Amino acid sequence: MKKKCSAIGALIAYVISGSLGSKAVIYLIGERIANWNEQLVQHREHMLNYMIVLRISPLPPNWTVNLGSPHLGVPMGAYFWGTFLGVAPPSFIHVQAGAALDRLSSSDKLELLTPLNVLCLIGVAIAALVPVVLKRRYRHSL
């Protein structure tokens, strides 16, 4: 449920930024958007995978992705599905943190960054990048 709500909320921010907030966003972070657009050109054909990795990563902040995406030409579909799939791993960590905090009342041991949690995040990020790597490899061999 949290994934769906996060994706819908992010989509609303995308639409508002793309329509009502265009002038304000360009005024406030126009230079940054121009720089990001240069970097984003490399990822155009892998936008879904790129969005998943951005949502998993703690950097950049989600608000910059929400506000900047429509001005960078990120397709709405890749944005929505990248958000929907990308918030799952951090949400898993948040649930684990909540469970750990609950255990804190009965234990003096708090473990948020367990090897399993870190491996899960890394695994999902790698899985999102596998299609990109395979496509690049096979494109050059053909």
Side-chain angles (χ1 to χ4, degrees), residues 10 13 29 32 36 51 53-69 72 79 83 87:
I29 58 174
R32 289 183 189 164
W36 292 333
M51 289 303 299
V53 171
L54 278 179
R55 292 304 189 174
I56 290 172
S57 171
L59 298 171
N62 282 331
W63 69 267
T64 59
V65 176
N66 293 345
L67 294 180
S69 291
L72 294 168
Y79 177 83
T83 300
V87 298

Side-chain angles (χ1 to χ4, degrees), residues 16-37 63-64 66-73:
I16 290 171
S17 176
S19 58
L20 302 176
S22 292
K23 289 182 181 181
V25 170
I26 298 299
Y27 176 76
L28 293 172
I29 58 174
E31 288 181 28
R32 289 183 189 164
I33 286 180
N35 293 336
W36 292 333
N37 199 28
W63 69 267
T64 59
N66 293 345
L67 294 180
S69 291
H71 307 285
L72 294 168

